[in-house]
Amino acid sequence: MTDVLITAVELADLLKLEPCVVIDTRNPDAYAAGHLPSAVNVHEIFTFLATSTPEGMTELKTKFADAFGAAGLSGKETAVIYEQSMNSGFGQSCRGYYLLTMLGYPKVKVLHGGFDAWSAAGFPVTKDVPAPAKASFAIVPEAGEILIDAKTMLGAVGKPGIAILDVRDVDEWIGDSSSPYGKDFCPRKGRIPGAVWLEWYRMMKPTAEGPRFKSKDEILAECATVGISQSTPVYLYCFKGARASNTFLALKNAGVKDVRMYFGSWNEWSRDPSLPIEQGLPIASEVTTKAA
C-alpha cells in the first residue's frame, strides 16, 4: 500500500502538482490563530461520539459525507488531514483518515507531524478562511466493512484467531479510569474480555522534530509482542475511535491486511450493562516458566 503519511516537504510539492483539499481537525480557536493555506476546519472529526446501532452508523456516515462534501471533496481531489502534532490530539487526524476510508474515499493523506511540522519547515500559514465549493460526496457501501458494531465485537469475544486490540491509556486498560474525559465519565471501568493491549503511543517514537510513527518493521515488532502478525484479523477499540485510528493507520501502513474498528468503543460498550467486561488488573491466564 502507498504510505498514507506525508511530510511537510512532500505536501508542499503535492499542493503544486494536483488538486487537494486540506482539512484541519483542530479546534476553531487554533484554526483561527493560523492554518495551512486553503485549509477547511472540520473539528467534528475529533468530537463526534458515535454509536453502533444501525441508526447511529447511518448518522455517522451521512454526517461526515455531508461535512467532507461541504469541504470540497468530490473524489477527484486528494484529501489531506492534519492536527496540531501527532500526540496532542489523541490521533484526531488519523480519525479523519479512518472516516474517509470507511466512507470509501479514494485518496487520503495524513500530514506527518501535523501543523507543527508544517510551520517548523517555514511553510506559509494564513488566517484567511476559504469558501470551498460544495461537492457531491459519494459513499462506497462496501468500504464500511472496516466499521464494526457492538454485536460483531461481542461475536469476536473468545473467538480464536481474532485479536481484540485495546489501545487506550494504561489507567483505562487496568480499569482505574473509564475515559480520558474523567475517571467516572462512563458507568463502568474495565476492558472487553480477551482483549490484548498495545498503548497507542507505542506506534510512535520521539524524534528531534516531535513524535513520528515508527517504521513498518518496528510496528510489526510491537504487534508481535501481543501475537499479531500481518495475517491476523484485528478488531480495534479505544474510547471513541481516535487513538484507535492512530493505530489503524499504523497497522495498515505496516501491511496488516484485515483491520477493523469498533468505533463506538468503550464509550458505548461500557454503557450497555448486557455487554461483558473484565475488571481489575489483567492477569495472564497461562504463565509458564522453564528452568534454564
Side-chain angles (χ1 to χ4, degrees):
M1 108 172 223
T2 310
D3 199 327
V4 174
L5 299 166
I6 187 168
T7 67
V9 172
E10 289 167 341
L11 177 56
D13 290 338
L14 185 71
L15 292 171
K16 296 172 194 164
L17 294 173
E18 62 180 75
C20 296
V21 171
V22 182
I23 295 175
D24 184 318
T25 63
R26 299 174 303 158
N27 68 51
D29 289 345
Y31 174 79
H35 49 264
L36 272 65
S38 78
V40 182
N41 190 211
V42 189
H43 186 48
E44 281 185 322
I45 284 171
F46 180 58
T47 58
F48 187 80
L49 294 175
T51 59
S52 68
T53 61
E55 299 80 12
M57 291 170 97
T58 299
E59 182 192 0
L60 176 72
K61 292 178 179 180
T62 305
K63 181 179 189 66
F64 284 103
D66 289 349
F68 291 133
L73 286 172
S74 70
K76 299 185 182 77
E77 307 79 14
T78 296
V80 180
I81 318 281
Y82 74 89
E83 58 186 276
Q84 186 70 34
S85 65
M86 299 320 289
N87 70 337
S88 61
F90 295 96
Q92 70 189 70
S93 58
C94 304
R95 200 180 199 240
Y97 160 68
Y98 175 80
L99 288 167
L100 281 163
T101 305
M102 180 266 296
L103 293 169
Y105 198 77
K107 297 184 284 187
V108 189
K109 296 287 186 185
V110 169
L111 176 57
H112 203 184
F115 179 82
D116 287 354
W118 179 266
S119 55
F123 292 123
V125 170
T126 183
K127 293 183 181 179
D128 295 342
V129 177
K134 186 172 172 56
S136 175
F137 187 102
I139 296 174
V140 180
E142 55 269 28
E145 289 177 0
I146 62 169
L147 177 70
I148 60 173
D149 59 11
K151 183 180 176 183
T152 305
M153 183 60 106
L154 181 61
V157 171
K159 198 169 185 179
I162 295 176
I164 298 174
L165 181 57
D166 184 326
V167 302
R168 296 174 300 161
D169 293 9
V170 65
D171 58 342
E172 295 162 84
W173 166 248
I174 66 171
D176 182 48
S177 174
S178 73
S179 86
Y181 292 88
K183 286 194 172 194
D184 299 309
F185 183 82
C186 294
R188 298 191 293 170
K189 302 182 182 85
R191 60 201 164 271
I192 296 176
V196 294
W197 178 63
L198 276 179
E199 199 167 9
W200 72 291
Y201 288 112
R202 283 173 62 180
M203 297 298 131
M204 298 184 292
K205 61 183 178 183
T207 73
E209 290 78 40
R212 296 291 185 269
F213 277 95
K214 291 178 175 175
S215 71
K216 170 182 171 176
D217 287 346
E218 288 168 334
I219 287 164
L220 290 175
E222 295 286 1
C223 290
T225 66
V226 293
I228 292 171
S229 72
Q230 287 175 312
S231 59
T232 308
V234 180
Y235 288 8
L236 285 169
Y237 78 96
C238 59
F239 171 71
K240 65 172 184 183
R243 290 169 291 179
S245 293
N246 180 288
T247 305
F248 179 85
L249 188 156
L251 298 187
K252 293 307 289 182
N253 258 353
V256 181
K257 294 177 188 68
D258 185 2
V259 187
R260 305 177 196 217
M261 198 197 308
Y262 171 43
F263 203 71
S265 282
W266 193 252
N267 181 57
E268 180 181 51
W269 190 274
S270 66
R271 297 179 193 282
D272 183 345
S274 74
L275 294 171
I277 63 171
E278 284 177 356
Q279 293 178 291
L281 287 172
I283 299 168
S285 55
E286 294 177 30
V287 179
T288 56
T289 54
K290 292 182 181 177

